[in-house]
Amino acid sequence: MRILLLTHAFNSLTQRLGAELRQRGHMISVEFDISDSVTEEAAALFAPDLIVAPYLRRAIAESVWSHYLCLIVHPGEAGDRGPSALDWAIDKGLPEWGVTVLQAEAAMDAGPVWASANFCLRAAKKASVYRHEVTQAATVAVLQAVERFASGSFVPQRAISSQWQPLMKQADRAIDWQLDDTATVLRKINAADGFPGVADSLFGQPCHLFDACVEATLRGTPGEVIAQRETALLRATVDGAVWIGHVKRARSIKLPATLAFAGESASVPYAPLLDWWRVPSATWQDIFYEESGAVGFLHFEFYNGAMATQQCERLRAALAWAKLRPTHVLVLMGGQDFWSNGIHLNVIEAASLAGGSAADESWRNINAMNDLALELITTERQITVAAVGGNTGAGGCFLARATDLVWVRDAAMLNPHYKNMGNLYGSEYWTYLLPRRVGQEAAQAIMHNRQPLTAQRALEIGFIDACLAGDVPAFRAEVTRQATELASEPDLTLRLAAKNGARLRDETIKPLATYRAEEMTHMHRNFYGFDPSYHVARHHFVYKSLASWTPRHLAIHRELGWKLP
Ligand code: COA
C-alpha cells in the first residue's frame, strides 16, 4: 500500500512507524502538518491508500478525511477524547492506559476505532511514557489497523462510551508548595514533562519546571530552594524535597536549572555526591556506577540525552576511573530514555543568549565529546559495550560505536547522521568508526540519506552487534546476562590482545589524531565559517520553530520527477 504519514514532526514514534511499515513492504512518504492546502496537495501527489497520523496537534481537514481514510493515533484508551490524554492519566495516577487508532471525522477523537492497545502506566515523565509504552502500543495498534484495512473485511466500531477531557491548563497543573506533598509535586511535573512544564517560579522569577526527581534525606522550608548539585536545584516540599533538573524561564529556552539561574543559585549550598559508586534510589545523580562480578556498568542519565561540555568532562572522568577497576567488561548504559543525542544544543544556544559565543561553546562541547570518545576507543583492559536501551542520535550514535560492541534494544531508533542540523559535518571519530563497520559506500549513504534506522536494520547493515528484545528492564537484565557471560569467556585475554593489536595497526595506518583533525576542520567551518546553516538550524531546533515545509528526503512524493507507480 501507499501510506502517507501526516505528522506535526518527524518524532521517534513517526520514525518507528515509518520503519515498521516499510519493513512490511508498504511505500511510505511523510508530510508535515503545515496547512490544510499543503496536506491536500501532498495527498493529491501521493494518492495514498491510507493516511496515518502518528502525531498531530490539530484536526485533519474535512477535505482530506472525506477523500482518504485517515487513521489517527490517540494516546488514550478507547473512548477517551481530548488533547491532554496522557497528561490527565499521569496526573490522576491511573494504573493502566492505552493507545487508540481511530478514523478521523468531524468530531475530534470520536471516529470508529480500528485498533487499540493497553499498557501499565509507569510513574514517570510524560515524554518517557510516550517514548516507551505509548510508542510500543501505538506500533502494535497501527500495524493491526493497517492489516485490518488491507483485509477489506474489517468494520470498525465506535467506542461504547466516550468522554471528552479538556486541554489541561496551567491552573490544573499548579503546585501549592505549602500544601502539595512530594508525590503530588512529582506527579504534576511528570504530567507536564517534556511539554509544557509546570508554570511556577524560582528565586521570585517566573519559569516552567521540568525533570523532577525525589530526594530522600535533605529537608527544608516548603517551597524554598535548599541545595544544588551539578545541574539541578533542590526544592523543599511539605514532607520532603524534589530536585528540579530543568527549567524554562520566560522568553527563554529549556535549560539545566543551575544554568538558567546561574546568578541566583550562586548562594545556594552545594550538596555534592562523593562518589559514583552507588545506585541512586532516592536522590538526583546523573552519573553512577555499579559492578557485578567482573562487569562494570556506567550509567549516565542526561535529560534528553543531550551532553554539554561539563557533562562530557564528568563522564570522561568517571569512565577513566571505571577503566581502573578490576573488571573484564565495561558496559556503558546511557539513560532510560536516550543513550545519547550528542552535543547539548540548548546549552550552546544559551551561550549566545548570555552574550557569549555559540561557536565557541560548540567547539568546546564537540572537543569534550571527542575526548570522551577517545577515552572509550583507547580502553585496553576491558571489552567495552554500549547498551543502547533508548533512542540515540547524531554524535550519540558514534559515541556508542566507539565501544567494542553495541547492543541495542529492538524498539530503539538510531539516527547515525548529522546533516539535519544545518549540514553539520560531525565528529566523534565517525570517519574512523563508521566505514570500518559498514564500508565506505554504506557510510556515505547513511550520512547522505539521513534516515532513521531500526535496531534490526542497523544490525543487518553491520552498524551494531546485537539487537535484544523486551522492555527496558528486560533489556537490561539480558545485557547483564550476556556481559557476565562475555566476562567469563576463556579466550577473553586473546580477545583483548586482538582488539589492542587491531587498534595499534589502525593507528599506524592513520592515527586517530588525524581523523579528529580532519573532522574538526569541517566542524570549524560549520561553527565559524561564512555559511551560518548550523547556527540557524540549531536556533530553530531549540526554539521549536514550526516547520514551513517537509524535508525532501522524507517526502518522496515531492521529489522531482515523482510519478505514481
Ligand atoms: N541537545 C539538546 N536537546 C536535545 C538534543 C540535543 N542534542 N537532542 C534532542 N534534544 C531534546 C529536544 O529538543 C526535545 O526537547 P523537549 O524535551 O523540549 O521536547 C527532546 O530532546 C526530545 O527530542 P525529540 O526530537 O522529541 O526526540 P525524538 O526521539 O523524537 O528524536 C532525534 C530524536 C535524535 C532524532 C532528535 O532529537 C534530534 O535530531 N536531535 C538533535 C541531534 C543533533 O543534531 N545533535 C547535535 C549534533 S551531535
Side-chain angles (χ1 to χ4, degrees), residues 171-204:
D172 303 310
R173 303 181 190 272
I175 295 171
D176 184 338
W177 292 92
Q178 308 309 317
L179 247 164
D180 289 341
D181 61 9
T182 303
T184 308
V185 171
L186 273 176
R187 228 180 26 249
K188 285 182 171 173
I189 299 180
N190 276 345
D193 204 338
F195 180 81
V198 173
D200 202 294
S201 65
L202 277 169
F203 307 102

Short mmCIF file of all heavy atoms in Angstrom, two decimals, residues 171-204:
data_model
loop_
_atom_site.label_atom_id
_atom_site.label_comp_id
_atom_site.label_asym_id
_atom_site.label_seq_id
_atom_site.Cartn_x
_atom_site.Cartn_y
_atom_site.Cartn_z
N ALA A 171 -3.59 26.15 35.27
CA ALA A 171 -4.29 26.19 36.56
C ALA A 171 -4.48 24.76 37.10
O ALA A 171 -4.44 24.54 38.31
CB ALA A 171 -5.64 26.88 36.39
N ASP A 172 -4.67 23.80 36.19
CA ASP A 172 -4.84 22.40 36.63
C ASP A 172 -3.51 21.81 37.10
O ASP A 172 -3.48 20.85 37.85
CB ASP A 172 -5.34 21.52 35.47
CG ASP A 172 -6.63 22.04 34.88
OD1 ASP A 172 -7.55 22.30 35.66
OD2 ASP A 172 -6.70 22.21 33.64
N ARG A 173 -2.43 22.39 36.59
CA ARG A 173 -1.11 21.82 36.88
C ARG A 173 -0.44 22.48 38.09
O ARG A 173 0.57 21.99 38.59
CB ARG A 173 -0.18 22.02 35.66
CG ARG A 173 -0.69 21.42 34.36
CD ARG A 173 0.33 21.65 33.25
NE ARG A 173 -0.18 21.32 31.92
CZ ARG A 173 -0.11 20.11 31.36
NH1 ARG A 173 0.44 19.11 32.03
NH2 ARG A 173 -0.57 19.89 30.14
N ALA A 174 -1.00 23.60 38.55
CA ALA A 174 -0.29 24.44 39.53
C ALA A 174 0.08 23.68 40.80
O ALA A 174 -0.69 22.87 41.31
CB ALA A 174 -1.16 25.64 39.89
N ILE A 175 1.27 23.96 41.30
CA ILE A 175 1.75 23.34 42.54
C ILE A 175 1.55 24.34 43.68
O ILE A 175 1.90 25.51 43.56
CB ILE A 175 3.26 23.01 42.42
CG1 ILE A 175 3.48 21.94 41.35
CG2 ILE A 175 3.82 22.54 43.77
CD1 ILE A 175 4.93 21.68 41.00
N ASP A 176 0.98 23.84 44.80
CA ASP A 176 0.90 24.64 46.02
C ASP A 176 1.98 24.10 46.96
O ASP A 176 1.81 23.04 47.56
CB ASP A 176 -0.49 24.51 46.65
CG ASP A 176 -0.64 25.40 47.88
OD1 ASP A 176 0.40 25.76 48.47
OD2 ASP A 176 -1.78 25.73 48.24
N TRP A 177 3.10 24.82 47.03
CA TRP A 177 4.26 24.31 47.78
C TRP A 177 3.99 24.22 49.29
O TRP A 177 4.71 23.55 50.01
CB TRP A 177 5.50 25.17 47.49
CG TRP A 177 5.96 25.00 46.07
CD1 TRP A 177 5.61 25.74 44.99
CD2 TRP A 177 6.82 23.96 45.57
NE1 TRP A 177 6.19 25.25 43.84
CE2 TRP A 177 6.95 24.15 44.17
CE3 TRP A 177 7.49 22.88 46.14
CZ2 TRP A 177 7.72 23.33 43.35
CZ3 TRP A 177 8.28 22.05 45.33
CH2 TRP A 177 8.38 22.28 43.95
N GLN A 178 2.94 24.92 49.74
CA GLN A 178 2.62 24.86 51.18
C GLN A 178 1.65 23.71 51.47
O GLN A 178 1.36 23.44 52.63
CB GLN A 178 1.98 26.19 51.65
CG GLN A 178 2.78 27.42 51.31
CD GLN A 178 4.26 27.29 51.74
OE1 GLN A 178 4.54 26.83 52.85
NE2 GLN A 178 5.17 27.69 50.87
N LEU A 179 1.17 23.06 50.43
CA LEU A 179 0.13 22.04 50.63
C LEU A 179 0.48 20.69 49.98
O LEU A 179 0.28 19.63 50.57
CB LEU A 179 -1.17 22.55 50.00
CG LEU A 179 -2.32 22.86 50.95
CD1 LEU A 179 -3.33 23.71 50.23
CD2 LEU A 179 -2.96 21.60 51.49
N ASP A 180 0.99 20.76 48.75
CA ASP A 180 1.21 19.51 47.99
C ASP A 180 2.37 18.71 48.56
O ASP A 180 3.46 19.26 48.80
CB ASP A 180 1.50 19.85 46.52
CG ASP A 180 0.27 20.37 45.80
OD1 ASP A 180 -0.85 20.13 46.31
OD2 ASP A 180 0.42 21.01 44.75
N ASP A 181 2.16 17.42 48.73
CA ASP A 181 3.26 16.58 49.20
C ASP A 181 4.17 16.22 48.02
O ASP A 181 3.87 16.53 46.85
CB ASP A 181 2.74 15.34 49.94
CG ASP A 181 1.88 14.46 49.04
OD1 ASP A 181 1.83 14.71 47.82
OD2 ASP A 181 1.26 13.52 49.56
N THR A 182 5.27 15.56 48.34
CA THR A 182 6.28 15.25 47.32
C THR A 182 5.68 14.44 46.17
O THR A 182 5.95 14.73 44.99
CB THR A 182 7.43 14.45 47.98
OG1 THR A 182 7.94 15.25 49.05
CG2 THR A 182 8.54 14.15 47.01
N ALA A 183 4.86 13.44 46.52
CA ALA A 183 4.29 12.59 45.46
C ALA A 183 3.43 13.41 44.51
O ALA A 183 3.47 13.21 43.28
CB ALA A 183 3.45 11.48 46.10
N THR A 184 2.68 14.38 45.05
CA THR A 184 1.82 15.22 44.19
C THR A 184 2.68 16.12 43.30
O THR A 184 2.40 16.27 42.10
CB THR A 184 0.89 16.08 45.08
OG1 THR A 184 0.23 15.21 45.99
CG2 THR A 184 -0.10 16.85 44.27
N VAL A 185 3.72 16.71 43.89
CA VAL A 185 4.60 17.58 43.10
C VAL A 185 5.22 16.79 41.94
O VAL A 185 5.23 17.24 40.78
CB VAL A 185 5.71 18.20 43.99
CG1 VAL A 185 6.75 18.93 43.16
CG2 VAL A 185 5.09 19.13 45.04
N LEU A 186 5.69 15.60 42.26
CA LEU A 186 6.31 14.76 41.22
C LEU A 186 5.32 14.44 40.12
O LEU A 186 5.63 14.53 38.93
CB LEU A 186 6.77 13.44 41.83
CG LEU A 186 8.17 13.42 42.45
CD1 LEU A 186 8.44 12.07 43.09
CD2 LEU A 186 9.23 13.71 41.39
N ARG A 187 4.11 14.06 40.53
CA ARG A 187 3.09 13.68 39.54
C ARG A 187 2.74 14.87 38.64
O ARG A 187 2.62 14.74 37.43
CB ARG A 187 1.85 13.18 40.28
CG ARG A 187 1.33 11.90 39.73
CD ARG A 187 0.11 11.33 40.39
NE ARG A 187 -0.74 12.28 41.04
CZ ARG A 187 -0.90 12.36 42.36
NH1 ARG A 187 -0.23 11.57 43.16
NH2 ARG A 187 -1.72 13.25 42.88
N LYS A 188 2.63 16.04 39.24
CA LYS A 188 2.27 17.22 38.45
C LYS A 188 3.36 17.56 37.44
O LYS A 188 3.08 17.89 36.29
CB LYS A 188 2.01 18.41 39.37
CG LYS A 188 0.66 18.32 40.10
CD LYS A 188 0.40 19.52 40.96
CE LYS A 188 -1.03 19.51 41.50
NZ LYS A 188 -1.27 20.58 42.48
N ILE A 189 4.62 17.51 37.90
CA ILE A 189 5.71 17.86 36.96
C ILE A 189 5.85 16.75 35.91
O ILE A 189 6.02 17.05 34.71
CB ILE A 189 7.03 18.12 37.71
CG1 ILE A 189 6.84 19.31 38.68
CG2 ILE A 189 8.17 18.42 36.73
CD1 ILE A 189 8.07 19.68 39.49
N ASN A 190 5.73 15.50 36.32
CA ASN A 190 5.82 14.40 35.34
C ASN A 190 4.75 14.53 34.25
O ASN A 190 5.03 14.29 33.07
CB ASN A 190 5.62 13.05 36.05
CG ASN A 190 6.92 12.54 36.66
OD1 ASN A 190 8.00 13.03 36.33
ND2 ASN A 190 6.82 11.58 37.55
N ALA A 191 3.53 14.94 34.64
CA ALA A 191 2.43 15.02 33.68
C ALA A 191 2.66 16.13 32.64
O ALA A 191 1.99 16.18 31.61
CB ALA A 191 1.11 15.24 34.41
N ALA A 192 3.61 17.01 32.93
CA ALA A 192 3.86 18.15 32.03
C ALA A 192 5.24 18.08 31.36
O ALA A 192 5.66 19.02 30.69
CB ALA A 192 3.77 19.45 32.83
N ASP A 193 5.92 16.96 31.49
CA ASP A 193 7.32 16.84 31.05
C ASP A 193 7.42 15.93 29.84
O ASP A 193 6.86 14.83 29.88
CB ASP A 193 8.12 16.21 32.21
CG ASP A 193 9.59 16.54 32.15
OD1 ASP A 193 10.08 16.89 31.08
OD2 ASP A 193 10.24 16.45 33.20
N GLY A 194 8.06 16.27 28.73
CA GLY A 194 8.74 17.44 28.31
C GLY A 194 7.98 18.69 27.92
O GLY A 194 8.59 19.74 27.76
N PHE A 195 6.67 18.68 27.72
CA PHE A 195 5.96 19.88 27.34
C PHE A 195 4.59 19.86 28.02
O PHE A 195 3.97 18.81 28.07
CB PHE A 195 5.79 19.95 25.81
CG PHE A 195 5.05 21.17 25.35
CD1 PHE A 195 5.71 22.39 25.22
CD2 PHE A 195 3.68 21.11 25.08
CE1 PHE A 195 5.02 23.52 24.81
CE2 PHE A 195 2.99 22.25 24.67
CZ PHE A 195 3.66 23.45 24.54
N PRO A 196 4.08 20.98 28.58
CA PRO A 196 4.63 22.35 28.55
C PRO A 196 5.42 22.71 29.81
O PRO A 196 5.86 23.84 29.93
CB PRO A 196 3.35 23.19 28.50
CG PRO A 196 2.37 22.37 29.31
CD PRO A 196 2.71 20.93 29.08
N GLY A 197 5.62 21.77 30.73
CA GLY A 197 6.20 22.10 32.03
C GLY A 197 5.14 22.71 32.94
O GLY A 197 4.03 23.02 32.51
N VAL A 198 5.48 22.85 34.21
CA VAL A 198 4.55 23.44 35.17
C VAL A 198 4.94 24.90 35.42
O VAL A 198 6.08 25.18 35.83
CB VAL A 198 4.56 22.66 36.51
CG1 VAL A 198 3.73 23.38 37.56
CG2 VAL A 198 4.03 21.25 36.29
N ALA A 199 4.00 25.80 35.16
CA ALA A 199 4.28 27.24 35.38
C ALA A 199 4.41 27.48 36.89
O ALA A 199 3.52 27.13 37.66
CB ALA A 199 3.16 28.08 34.80
N ASP A 200 5.53 28.07 37.29
CA ASP A 200 5.81 28.26 38.72
C ASP A 200 6.80 29.43 38.79
O ASP A 200 6.88 30.24 37.86
CB ASP A 200 6.44 26.96 39.26
CG ASP A 200 6.28 26.83 40.77
OD1 ASP A 200 6.88 27.66 41.48
OD2 ASP A 200 5.57 25.92 41.23
N SER A 201 7.55 29.49 39.88
CA SER A 201 8.61 30.50 39.93
C SER A 201 9.75 29.96 40.78
O SER A 201 9.54 29.07 41.62
CB SER A 201 8.08 31.81 40.51
OG SER A 201 7.71 31.61 41.85
N LEU A 202 10.94 30.48 40.52
CA LEU A 202 12.11 30.15 41.32
C LEU A 202 12.84 31.46 41.58
O LEU A 202 12.96 32.29 40.66
CB LEU A 202 13.04 29.18 40.58
CG LEU A 202 12.69 27.68 40.65
CD1 LEU A 202 13.54 26.90 39.65
CD2 LEU A 202 12.88 27.12 42.06
N PHE A 203 13.32 31.65 42.78
CA PHE A 203 14.00 32.90 43.16
C PHE A 203 13.13 34.11 42.79
O PHE A 203 13.63 35.13 42.33
CB PHE A 203 15.38 33.01 42.47
CG PHE A 203 16.25 31.80 42.68
CD1 PHE A 203 16.41 30.85 41.69
CD2 PHE A 203 16.93 31.62 43.88
CE1 PHE A 203 17.22 29.74 41.87
CE2 PHE A 203 17.74 30.50 44.08
CZ PHE A 203 17.88 29.57 43.07
N GLY A 204 11.81 33.93 42.88
CA GLY A 204 10.89 35.03 42.58
C GLY A 204 10.73 35.32 41.09
O GLY A 204 10.07 36.29 40.71
#
